[in-house]
Amino acid sequence: MNVRTTITAATLACSLAAALATAASAGPAPAQPGADKCYGIAMAGKNDCAAGAGTSCAGTSTVDYDPGHWKYVAKGTCEGMTTPKGHGSLTAM
């Protein structure tokens, strides 16, 4: 094995370890007293968790305002929030 192969293998191993660590830690944000889960308002990568098939959890949304992802907001403010895709919702859309 030459130096280039060794460096490439080490880089690949580190990348794989980092990816696995990220996947293992993906989960919902801790509950926030005085907050509601508001669906459809989170920006890409800024969601607190998700709902439904094909979705994951905190920080994994890849599109803005995905109706299956939620973000914590101050209690009572969700449905008054407006996005380019409509209002926030207390239930998955």
Side-chain angles (χ1 to χ4, degrees):
M1 205 185 259
N2 67 30
V3 173
R4 178 177 278 167
T5 303
T6 302
I7 291 172
T8 301
T11 301
L12 179 59
C14 287
S15 296
L16 180 58
L20 290 174
T22 300
S25 66
Q32 296 183 10
D36 287 326
K37 293 177 183 177
C38 190
Y39 292 83
I41 63 157
M43 302 299 285
K46 303 293 183 184
N47 61 307
D48 288 329
C49 205
T55 60
S56 186
C57 258
T60 60
S61 177
T62 59
V63 296
D64 292 342
Y65 316 115
D66 186 318
H69 289 89
W70 54 264
K71 183 161 187 66
Y72 281 119
V73 298
K75 193 167 266 322
T77 64
C78 176
E79 295 171 313
M81 294 183 164
T82 304
T83 74
K85 294 187 175 183
H87 291 278
S89 174
L90 294 173
T91 58
M93 300 185 259

